[in-house]
Every structure is written in C-alpha cells, then in structure tokens.
C-alpha cells in the first residue's frame, strides 16, 4: 500500500501522540515531506520521539526513511495527475463538471490499480477454489459494503452456485447462525469495524465456516477475525467524498473473485450463462 494509505489505515491502531503526527502528515503531505523531526513534532504538538516512533510503527528505520517514501509517492502522484490533465485530486466547490468527472475517473482507476497490486493472490485463489467446489457462500455487508456483497451474490447465483445475501442485517445474523461448516462466509467492511458484520462472523465461526474479510484494514477486528484477508487499497481523504474509493476497491475484488471462480467452473460456464440469459430474454422491450 502507498504510504499515505498505510498511515490512514493504521492511524486508529497508534498511540495518541503518534496519531497526532499521522494527522499532521495527512493534513499536509507536501509540508511533511519537507519537514524535519523537530518541525513536524512542533506542528503535531508532540515530542520528537513520537515522530520517530510513528516511523517505526509504519515499518521504516526512521523519519528520514519515511520522508523519502512520502516524497517519492507525492512525485509519482503529481506525474499521474499531469498525465491525466489534473492539477490536483481534491474536489473543490468551483470545479466544473469536466473537472469533477476527470478527478473521479482518475481516482477510481487508481484505486482499482492499487487494489490489484495489493491483493493477496494466493488467498484470492483459495477463496475462488472453495466457492467453485460448490460450497455454499454467505455474504455479509452493511451500507456501501452491502452493494459489493449484493453484486457478488448475483454473480455467483448467475453461474448456478449457492449464494445468499440479505440487506436486512438481522437476517444476515440469522443466516450466519445457520451457516454450515462447509460454508464460505465473505465479510465486506472497508473500515473493518462494522459491528453487525463482525457479529455475523462470530456466529459463523461457531459453525466452523471459512471466514474471509474484504477490508482496508487487516488489523481491524474484522480482519483479525477472518481466516483469510483480501486487503483493499482506498484512500478517501484525497477527494473528501466518503465511500467512493472504498466502493470501487470492493467491487474490483468482487470481479477478481468472480472471474477466478467462473474460470474454475470450466465447461459448465457457457451453458449456465446461456440459460440465465435466455430466462430473461423475453423481458426486454
């Protein structure tokens, strides 16, 4: 994951002083890339040791190492925007419709590309293999994450697989409580902290089901509760519009997983798709 995405994702797991440094970096990455340990500590109103500890928490040898990575990322992002004809990535009140469309298209395409680089390929294959075997699939998700869960549910049903999803969160919990040991339970939550989704996973675990989390934070409660984590990359702070980036990242994972699963269905796939197309052909005007 890129450095700003990593800071945003891990921020809630940090000590309060380290959170203050993370907030200062996210608020003005350009200033942070040129800051010293002392100046960033003053900006965040913490000790210099807290700045160094944040760097270590993020896996860097020290703040200079973090600053180099941040500078490289900002340079890469500037080049990407120049290639797309964008001056910056945030939505402004005076943006023209063309500006808005360009920024959204750029950011969503970048989110999908980053998710493709970040995704655990081995884990993705394991989940696809389990579903393709015909194991029943239960999908969990609330809000924007419910859109991704619903999309995967429809896709799997379309190729003759047993898949269940309900927009009613109480029904999701009931279905989780009835899950079989052979079930594959896929939980969608960008934050990894959706209480209903976490509860559904707990209920399914009691039944011995395989638990899969699609989340932006592998260290979140939902990430830790899963047997397999399909991590997504999405940074919503850049555009200041909630759920846009996370929704696109989750839908990308849905497509990755569905195509792999469909590939494993082999010779039956064309016949199944033809049958479902024929079933609705007469409903078109």
């Amino acid at each position: 994951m890129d450095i700003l995405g990593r800071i945003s994702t891990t921020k809630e797991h940090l000590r309060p002083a380290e959170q203050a440094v993370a907030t200062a970096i996210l608020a003005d990455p350009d200033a942070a890339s040129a800051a010293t340990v002392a100046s960033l500590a003053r900006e965040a109103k913490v000790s210099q040791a807290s700045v160094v500890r944040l760097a270590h928490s993020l896996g860097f040898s020290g703040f200079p190492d973090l600053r180099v990575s941040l500078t490289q990322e900002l340079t890469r992002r500037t080049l990407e925007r120049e290639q797309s004809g964008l001056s910056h990535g945030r939505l402004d009140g005076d943006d023209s419709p063309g500006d808005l469309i360009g920024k959204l298209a750029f950011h969503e395409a970048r989110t999908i590309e980053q998710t493709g680089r970040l995704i655990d390929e081995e884990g993705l294959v394991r989940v696809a293999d389990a579903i393709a075997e015909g194991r029943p699939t239960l999908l969990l998700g609330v809000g924007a994450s419910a859109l991704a869960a619903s999309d995967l549910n429809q896709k799997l049903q379309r190729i003759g697989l047993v898949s269940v999803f309900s927009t009613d969160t109480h029904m999701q919990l009931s279905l989780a409580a009835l899950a079989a040991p052979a079930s594959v339970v896929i939980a969608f939550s960008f934050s990894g902290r959706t209480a209903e989704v976490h509860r559904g996973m707990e209920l399914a675990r009691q039944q011995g089901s395989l638990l899969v989390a699609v989340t932006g934070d592998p260290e979140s409660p939902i990430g830790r509760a899963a047997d397999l984590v399909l991590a997504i990359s999405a940074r919503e702070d850049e555009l200041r519009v909630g759920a846009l980036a996370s929704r696109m990242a989750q839908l990308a994972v849905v497509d990755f997983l569905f195509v792999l699963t469909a590939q494993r269905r082999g010779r039956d796939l064309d016949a199944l798709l033809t049958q479902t197309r024929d079933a609705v052909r007469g409903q078109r005007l």
Side-chain angles (χ1 to χ4, degrees):
M1 187 181 297
D2 58 72
I3 181 60
L4 291 176
R6 197 189 315 173
I7 293 172
S8 180
T9 297
T10 61
K11 183 179 173 183
E12 295 191 28
H13 306 299
L14 302 171
R15 300 183 183 92
E18 293 174 33
Q19 287 183 359
V21 181
T23 298
I25 293 174
L26 292 173
D28 193 346
D30 291 299
S33 68
T36 64
V37 171
S39 64
L40 185 56
R42 284 196 300 272
E43 177 65 24
K45 298 180 174 58
V46 298
S47 68
Q48 295 185 31
S50 295
V51 176
V52 177
R53 279 196 293 269
L54 171 65
H56 291 164
S57 296
L58 294 171
F60 295 99
S61 60
F63 180 67
D65 190 20
L66 186 159
R67 188 173 56 198
V68 168
S69 292
L70 180 59
T71 300
Q72 290 173 340
E73 178 178 329
L74 293 175
T75 300
R76 183 173 63 251
R77 193 192 306 179
T78 298
L79 290 173
E80 288 174 346
R81 287 175 182 156
E82 287 177 353
Q83 291 169 357
S84 301
L86 300 178
S87 58
H88 60 92
R90 296 181 181 175
L91 298 180
D92 294 326
D94 57 355
D95 280 339
S96 69
D99 290 335
L100 293 175
I101 292 169
K103 289 177 182 180
L104 289 171
F106 166 78
H107 190 62
E108 292 186 359
R110 187 170 183 267
T111 294
I112 293 171
E113 181 186 2
Q114 289 179 332
T115 296
R117 290 200 303 263
L118 178 68
I119 198 76
D120 175 10
E121 183 177 326
E122 182 179 342
L124 195 68
V125 169
R126 286 180 61 188
V127 179
D129 284 341
I131 297 173
E133 288 172 3
R135 295 169 63 172
T137 302
L138 170 62
L139 302 161
L140 305 174
V142 177
S145 295
L147 299 176
S150 177
D151 188 41
L152 181 56
N153 183 56
Q154 292 181 24
K155 282 180 165 64
L156 294 179
Q157 290 179 349
R158 177 87 189 277
I159 58 174
L161 293 168
V162 178
S163 180
V164 180
F165 173 70
S166 174
T167 55
D168 185 320
T169 54
H170 287 188
M171 181 58 70
Q172 287 186 34
L173 296 180
S174 298
L175 293 169
L178 297 172
S183 295
V184 179
V185 178
I186 305 178
F188 290 86
S189 174
F190 176 65
S191 69
R193 291 171 177 78
T194 308
E196 298 93 333
V197 174
H198 186 261
R199 176 58 178 159
M201 295 178 74
E202 289 181 330
L203 292 169
R205 178 171 292 284
Q206 294 172 15
Q207 307 305 315
S209 302
L210 174 66
L211 303 182
V212 182
V214 179
T215 180
D217 187 357
E219 296 302 317
S220 65
I222 285 174
R224 292 196 301 270
D227 299 307
L228 293 170
V229 177
L230 301 179
I232 59 178
S233 175
R235 190 172 61 251
E236 295 184 342
D237 60 299
E238 182 174 335
L239 289 176
R240 308 296 181 188
V241 179
L244 288 179
S246 62
R247 187 189 71 234
M248 294 307 300
Q250 288 177 333
L251 289 174
V253 174
V254 165
D255 286 345
F256 299 157
L257 186 55
F258 171 70
V259 172
L260 280 172
T261 302
Q263 184 185 56
R264 280 149 178 73
R265 297 292 287 175
R267 292 173 297 177
D268 297 334
L269 183 60
D270 287 340
L272 291 167
L273 291 174
T274 299
Q275 283 181 267
T276 53
R277 272 196 301 269
D278 290 344
V280 300
R281 192 184 304 278
Q283 308 307 310
R284 294 177 181 170
L285 297 175

